[in-house]
Amino acid sequence: MKEENKKELIKVDANTISELENELKSLLKTRNVELKEQIKNIQEEQNRFEYQLNDKLNKIEKAKKELKPKNNNTLNILISILIILVLIDVGFRIFAN
């Protein structure tokens, strides 16, 4: 009788171990799927962030180019005209006195 009880206990323990192993495998698969989904979401968020960052950097570069004078010749001509007008005004004032 005691031997039969031992055999039954061994069978129950083996079945319990097998059930626990299956449950553990199921939990690991579920966790693995959850982690893969989290990784995918993080990668998508990183891609969106990188796109926004690149877009802002491009806008900054574009703004820098717009701030630079496109043609220094135009600025030089305007300054030259201003100097000539000042000289003419000074000349008229000197000769008028």
Side-chain angles (χ1 to χ4, degrees):
M1 217 41 165
K2 289 184 180 182
E3 270 187 47
E4 287 179 22
N5 284 341
K6 286 182 181 179
K7 287 181 182 178
E8 285 179 22
L9 285 175
I10 291 172
K11 286 181 184 177
V12 169
D13 285 343
N15 287 339
T16 304
I17 290 171
S18 178
E19 288 174 8
L20 289 173
E21 285 177 343
N22 290 337
E23 189 175 332
L24 183 58
K25 286 179 184 177
S26 175
L27 288 172
L28 287 173
K29 285 181 184 177
T30 302
R31 184 65 179 147
N32 193 20
V33 168
E34 290 172 354
L35 289 173
K36 285 181 180 179
E37 186 66 28
Q38 286 179 353
I39 289 170
K40 180 183 171 189
N41 291 339
I42 289 170
Q43 287 174 336
E44 288 174 355
E45 185 177 338
Q46 181 181 3
N47 289 340
R48 282 192 303 272
F49 177 77
E50 286 177 359
Y51 176 79
Q52 291 173 350
L53 181 62
N54 285 334
D55 186 48
K56 289 181 181 181
L57 288 173
N58 289 338
K59 287 180 181 177
I60 289 171
E61 287 300 318
K62 183 178 178 184
K64 282 183 182 178
K65 288 179 183 176
E66 289 177 1
L67 287 176
K68 290 182 182 177
K70 293 179 182 175
N71 192 349
N72 283 338
N73 289 335
T74 305
L75 181 61
N76 289 337
I77 291 171
L78 290 175
I79 291 173
S80 299
I81 291 173
L82 181 62
I83 291 172
I84 292 170
L85 291 174
V86 168
L87 290 174
I88 291 172
D89 183 53
V90 169
F92 278 128
R93 289 179 192 227
I94 289 174
F95 290 118
N97 289 334

